[in-house]
């Protein structure tokens, strides 16, 4: 075998054994690059006679063509091999069990708020918010509770030092100031709910200094108590998941609604056990009423043109009823065993189609 055949055989063998495109490129340069072995042999032809050059040129070209073809072929093979290698290295096993540390639970308060938002969103309500630190004006005065009004005493208010501008401030005692904020900012029609933290200086079996409420406010040109009743009935049946749950409106008093009504839902207390449903007994769950004309006027809304209804409900209270949680104070203990028991799995998002909670 002459040297040309040897070179060809050796080169083809290296090409065949090149393991990746970088190795293949190395072979190509070593043979056909500027200083490559075949390139050098081509250069040597200068010294040959024309006849010799012709024969030698043909032989060299044949080797070059064979080498080029081999490189092309190997390049194609390597492409497939490298793709497979990459797919194998980037493979994700989606059947792996979730990481054991993802054991967090949604707190029953958050779950309850999410459920309420899902129900009211389906009725066209949007969620509004306000700050925990409120002006005395928004929390009381604008809601038709002037200074010296006896209703202020009932709220066990936490008072704060006045703001830089001298405005009296409080920790909001209810979510009703969000009504004021909403009506000062937006023109009717208005349809909002406002869930959030509220504060009263009170602590016993059924009261904690921090608790949660959800407020509802609807303002329009022809809103009446029938709308309030339908809205609350729809909500209560969806929330407690009892299709024939009865509700009852009982006359009451709030300075910011006229008329005002306390809402009761049906229940039974037989054998000392509380059970919700159409059983003849009643349980109070929220305050409500038609927004007082003075409140509308305090927010620059023409009370001869617009009316509306509002309601407010304690979130812990209805969460305890729905989920059978016996002790109010346990909501705020941050006890992991309690949370594991009463908490909800994060991926079970409440929605009306799939069911609010499972
Ligand atoms: N803000 C009242 C409370 O805290 C509840 C309420 C809200 C009543 C809206 C009527 C209308 O008790």
């Amino acid at each position: 075998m002459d040297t040309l055949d040897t070179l060809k055989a050796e080169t083809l063998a290296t090409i065949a054994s090149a393991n990746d495109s970088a190795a293949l490129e190395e072979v190509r340069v070593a043979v056909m690059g500027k200083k490559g072995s075949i390139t050098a042999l081509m250069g040597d032809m200068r010294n040959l006679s024309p006849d010799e050059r012709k024969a030698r040129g043909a032989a060299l070209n044949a080797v070059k063509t064979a080498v080029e073809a081999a490189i092309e072929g190997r390049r194609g093979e390597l492409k497939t091999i490298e793709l497979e290698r990459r797919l194998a290295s980037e493979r994700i096993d989606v059947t792996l069990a979730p990481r054991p540390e993802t054991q967090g639970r949604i707190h029953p308060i958050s779950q309850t708020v999410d459920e309420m938002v899902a129900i009211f969103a389906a009725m066209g309500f949007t969620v509004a918010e306000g700050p925990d630190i409120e002006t005395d004006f928004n929390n009381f005065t604008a809601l038709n509770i002037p200074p010296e009004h006896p209703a202020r005493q009932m709220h066990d208010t936490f008072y704060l030092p006045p703001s830089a501008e001298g405005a009296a401030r409080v920790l909001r005692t209810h979510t009703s100031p969000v009504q004021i904020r909403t009506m000062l900012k937006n023109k009717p029609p208005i349809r909002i709910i406002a869930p959030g933290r509220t504060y009263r200086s009170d602590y016993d079996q059924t009261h904690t200094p921090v608790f949660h409420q959800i407020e509802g406010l609807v303002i329009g040109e022809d809103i009446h108590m029938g709308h309030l009743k339908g809205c609350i009935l729809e909500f209560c049946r969806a929330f407690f998941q009892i299709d024939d749950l009865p509700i009852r409106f009982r006359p009451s008093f709030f300075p910011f609604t006229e008329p005002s009504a306390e809402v009761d839902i049906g229940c039974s207390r037989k054998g000392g056990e509380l059970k919700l449903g159409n059983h003849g007994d009643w349980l109070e769950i929220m305050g409500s009423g038609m927004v007082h004309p003075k409140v509308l006027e305090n927010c620059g809304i023409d009370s001869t043109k617009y009316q509306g209804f509002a309601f407010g409900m304690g979130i812990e209270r209805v969460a305890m009823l729905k989920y059978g949680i016996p002790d109010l104070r346990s909501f705020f203990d941050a006890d992991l065993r309690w949370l594991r028991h009463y908490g909800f799995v994060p991926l079970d998002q409440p929605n009306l189609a799939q069911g609010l909670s499972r």
Side-chain angles (χ1 to χ4, degrees):
M1 214 169 23
D2 75 3
T3 46
L4 197 51
D5 287 335
T6 317
L7 176 66
K8 179 178 165 188
E10 278 174 8
T11 308
L12 293 184
T14 353
I15 289 170
S17 65
N19 240 335
D20 51 38
S21 10
L24 185 63
E25 178 62 9
E26 237 169 68
V27 187
R28 193 192 64 78
V29 172
V31 183
M32 311 219 281
K34 252 192 215 152
K35 291 180 184 154
S37 42
I38 295 183
T39 318
L41 291 174
M42 296 272 196
D44 290 347
M45 288 200 299
R46 259 189 319 253
N47 311 319
L48 300 178
S49 69
D51 280 352
E52 285 171 325
R53 199 181 295 160
K54 202 170 162 193
R56 181 69 173 168
L60 272 176
N61 268 333
V63 173
K64 200 177 158 197
T65 313
V67 167
E68 275 169 357
I71 290 178
E72 262 333 290
R74 185 63 184 157
R75 188 171 284 146
E77 286 169 21
L78 283 178
K79 229 172 150 182
T80 317
I81 292 172
E82 279 167 5
L83 177 64
E84 272 163 13
R85 242 185 243 152
R86 201 175 128 206
L87 288 176
S89 77
E90 290 178 3
R91 187 188 149 94
I92 294 170
D93 185 353
V94 293
T95 66
L96 275 182
R99 287 159 55 140
E101 64 264 41
T102 55
Q103 282 180 352
R105 285 286 184 280
I106 301 291
H107 195 283
I109 300 275
S110 308
Q111 172 76 18
T112 305
V113 169
D114 288 349
E115 292 179 16
M116 290 175 165
V117 169
I119 296 169
F120 284 114
M123 293 191 226
F125 284 76
T126 53
V127 175
E129 284 181 312
D132 294 10
I133 296 176
E134 255 304 357
T135 59
D136 184 277
F137 178 81
N138 285 345
N139 195 81
F140 292 123
T141 313
L143 286 162
N144 198 29
I145 315 176
E148 318 308 331
H149 192 287
R152 290 202 175 199
Q153 263 79 67
M154 283 160 51
H155 278 226
D156 302 305
T157 312
F158 284 111
Y159 288 94
L160 295 167
S163 70
E165 300 82 44
R169 293 187 305 172
V170 300
L171 288 180
R172 65 177 179 190
T173 59
H174 50 179
T175 42
S176 301
V178 184
Q179 288 188 35
I180 303 301
R181 289 178 171 272
T182 306
M183 288 190 281
L184 286 174
K185 210 172 64 195
N186 303 322
K187 289 195 181 7
I190 289 170
R191 202 185 296 181
I192 58 110
I193 48 169
R197 268 193 286 269
T198 45
Y199 305 81
R200 291 184 198 180
S201 180
D202 203 352
Y203 188 66
D204 60 31
Q205 282 257 312
T206 55
H207 298 89
T208 49
V210 186
F211 58 106
H212 297 75
Q213 285 191 343
I214 186 164
E215 193 83 8
L217 176 71
V218 173
I219 306 285
E221 280 192 42
D222 42 28
I223 302 294
H224 53 72
M225 267 194 108
H227 296 124
L228 167 63
K229 194 169 180 185
C231 174
I232 296 304
L233 182 68
E234 182 88 1
F235 165 77
C236 288
R237 290 183 172 178
F239 179 76
F240 291 109
Q241 294 166 305
I242 303 174
D243 289 341
D244 64 344
L245 184 68
I247 63 170
R248 177 175 83 168
F249 282 72
R250 205 161 22 82
S252 184
F253 174 80
F254 299 101
F256 35 91
T257 46
E258 179 59 34
S260 303
E262 216 90 58
V263 181
D264 297 342
I265 54 175
C267 74
S268 135
R269 294 185 172 85
K270 264 192 216 104
E273 200 196 322
L274 185 70
K275 211 172 117 212
L276 300 183
N278 191 4
H279 308 303
D281 209 350
W282 297 99
L283 179 73
E284 178 192 320
I285 62 155
M286 72 175 93
S288 69
M290 299 304 293
V291 178
H292 198 294
K294 277 197 186 162
V295 174
L296 295 171
E297 298 295 341
N298 287 343
C299 300
I301 292 178
D302 181 354
S303 64
T304 61
K305 188 166 175 211
Y306 296 105
Q307 304 92 56
F309 65 80
F311 56 87
M313 151 174 54
I315 290 176
E316 283 80 359
R317 185 171 164 73
V318 292
M320 287 166 79
L321 285 172
K322 179 164 180 179
Y323 295 115
I325 301 173
D327 182 359
L328 170 70
R329 286 178 281 198
S330 62
F331 279 100
F332 305 98
D333 283 344
D335 181 335
L336 278 180
R337 291 164 306 174
W338 182 88
L339 194 55
R340 233 164 259 142
H341 182 78
Y342 287 109
F344 293 82
V345 180
L347 291 175
D348 278 348
Q349 295 280 334
N351 70 66
L352 290 176
Q354 279 184 32
L356 293 172
S357 46
R358 276 160 281 167

